[in-house]
């Protein structure tokens, strides 16, 4: 039940963050928007840890891996995603992000020697096929060089995200809790972003309106502090490959919100795609059928 609760929470939270990211694209430079997000998130999470008296400092040997997590999960990946949002719809970014299932399976094999199971491949195939049916027409009709750039940025951001998963998995194995790793990781990520702002001489623009500010607070408090904590707890409990399948369901949440608030209309292919995506989710989490022991029909000789 705990794993299911973490999985559902991650899907619902991160399935809504893509719309909030799109709300931030505009007058505020991307570097500054991402910095705002993780600076606020770091302050919130570090304050919570300090209040709970759980603000532990990781050992020196763990610091490079905390920094790796910061770079891949709390800075570079979102620089890619926010820039991608300037070229392609947020729903399409969430589709590309769902490739984290495949990225994680491959990277877990490379870094930890995990076996890529047939179930993982089948679930990934079902999910990818379903998402292709959901968004294929949009990609074909609206394709141009800007779309290609957006797809490339989103794919690169997803690669960074997957590498951050590997760093998080290593940190969890070293006994560092997701809360501690996230608290320090978000802090380091905010510092890295501030350095990038200084080096690139990017102007720091204040939040322009209430919509931007609301999106920022949602992304920092809910999307980052809570969302990353639930997801990385899931990674530590069920593994990076299975946890990443949550990303396949993000577009479903985004489309559901779009149906309610933006009048999105489901096509026949879209409904088939939804069914395939959900089927993939069933495949990855279904328990294997227990094998019944084979009973011999031969009679044993009578004793005595």
């Amino acid at each position: 039940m705990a794993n299911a609760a973490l999985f559902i929470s991650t899907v619902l939270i991160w399935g809504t963050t893509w719309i909030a990211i799109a709300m931030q694209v505009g007058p505020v430079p991307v570097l500054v928007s991402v910095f705002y997000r993780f600076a606020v998130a770091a302050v919130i999470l570090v304050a919570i840890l300090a209040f709970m008296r759980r603000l532990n400092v990781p050992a020196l040997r763990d610091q490079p891996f905390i920094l790796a997590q910061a770079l891949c999960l709390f800075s570079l990946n979102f620089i890619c995603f926010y820039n991608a949002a300037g070229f392609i719809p947020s729903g399409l970014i969430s589709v590309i992000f769902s490739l984290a299932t495949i990225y994680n399976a491959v990277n877990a094999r490379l870094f930890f020697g995990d076996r890529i199971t047939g179930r993982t491949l089948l679930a990934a195939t079902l999910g990818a096929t379903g998402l292709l049916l959901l968004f294929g027409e949009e990609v074909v009709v609206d394709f141009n060089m800007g779309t290609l750039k957006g797809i490339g940025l989103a794919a690169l951001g997803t690669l960074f995200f997957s590498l951050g998963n590997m760093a998080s998995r290593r940190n969890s194995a070293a006994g560092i809790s997701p809360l501690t790793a996230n608290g320090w990781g978000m802090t380091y990520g905010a510092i890295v972003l501030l350095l990038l702002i200084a080096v690139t001489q990017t102007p720091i623009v204040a939040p322009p309106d209430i919509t931007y500010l609301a999106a920022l607070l949602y992304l920092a408090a809910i999307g980052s502090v809570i969302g990353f904590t639930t997801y990385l707890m899931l990674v530590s409990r069920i593994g990076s490959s299975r946890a990443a399948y949550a990303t396949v369901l993000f577009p479903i949440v985004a489309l559901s919100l779009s149906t309610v608030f933006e009048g999105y209309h489901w096509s026949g292919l879209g409904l088939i795609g939804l069914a395939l995506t959900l089927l993939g989710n069933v495949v990855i989490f279904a328990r294997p059928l227990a094998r019944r022991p084979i009973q011999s029909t031969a009679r044993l000789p009578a004793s005595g």
Side-chain angles (χ1 to χ4, degrees), residues 93-136:
I93 298 174
S94 70
V95 173
I96 298 168
F97 186 61
S98 69
L99 293 174
T101 306
I102 301 173
Y103 278 104
N104 275 7
V106 173
N107 283 329
R109 172 64 180 176
L110 293 175
F111 289 100
F112 299 102
D114 289 2
R115 187 169 63 91
I116 300 178
T117 65
R119 177 186 294 198
T120 299
L121 291 175
L122 175 59
T125 301
L126 289 170
T129 303
L131 293 171
L132 180 62
L133 292 176
L134 275 169
F135 292 94

Side-chain angles (χ1 to χ4, degrees), residues 7-227:
F7 183 83
I8 293 170
S9 297
T10 302
V11 169
L12 292 178
I13 291 172
W14 279 1
T16 57
T17 54
W18 304 104
I19 295 177
I21 288 175
M23 291 178 180
Q24 289 195 304
V25 175
V28 180
V30 166
L31 278 177
V32 177
S33 286
V34 182
F35 166 72
Y36 283 157
R37 173 176 179 172
F38 287 106
V40 173
V43 168
I44 293 173
L45 187 50
V46 168
I48 291 173
L49 289 171
F51 177 78
M52 297 171 61
R53 297 183 180 179
R54 294 178 59 184
L55 187 58
N56 303 318
V57 180
L60 185 61
R61 66 178 180 275
D62 297 320
Q63 292 294 334
F65 298 98
I66 298 292
L67 180 59
Q69 185 171 329
L71 290 172
C72 294
L73 290 184
F74 308 128
S75 54
L76 298 181
N77 60 327
F78 280 103
I79 291 174
C80 294
F81 292 138
Y82 276 65
N83 277 296
F87 296 101
I88 57 178
S90 60
L92 182 53
I93 298 174
S94 70
V95 173
I96 298 168
F97 186 61
S98 69
L99 293 174
T101 306
I102 301 173
Y103 278 104
N104 275 7
V106 173
N107 283 329
R109 172 64 180 176
L110 293 175
F111 289 100
F112 299 102
D114 289 2
R115 187 169 63 91
I116 300 178
T117 65
R119 177 186 294 198
T120 299
L121 291 175
L122 175 59
T125 301
L126 289 170
T129 303
L131 293 171
L132 180 62
L133 292 176
L134 275 169
F135 292 94
E137 184 178 351
E138 180 180 5
V139 175
V140 173
V141 172
D142 297 334
F143 185 82
N144 52 47
M145 286 306 297
T147 300
L148 183 62
K149 185 179 292 187
I151 290 173
L153 285 167
L156 180 60
T158 305
L159 175 59
F160 280 130
F161 172 81
S162 177
L163 293 174
N165 279 217
M166 301 304 109
S168 173
R169 176 172 169 177
R170 181 269 167 200
N171 292 333
S172 293
I176 304 172
S177 73
L179 278 174
T180 298
N182 284 354
W184 290 106
M186 290 178 185
T187 301
Y188 292 172
I191 293 172
V192 168
L193 290 162
L194 190 59
L195 290 174
L196 288 174
I197 290 171
V199 169
T200 59
Q201 298 183 341
T202 302
I204 298 180
V205 179
D209 51 39
I210 294 297
T211 299
Y212 181 97
L213 190 59
L216 169 62
L217 293 176
Y218 181 81
L219 288 169
I222 308 299
S224 298
V225 173
I226 298 178

Side-chain angles (χ1 to χ4, degrees), residues 240-251:
S240 54
S241 296
R242 295 182 71 198
Y245 199 78
T247 63
V248 177
L249 295 184
F250 295 164

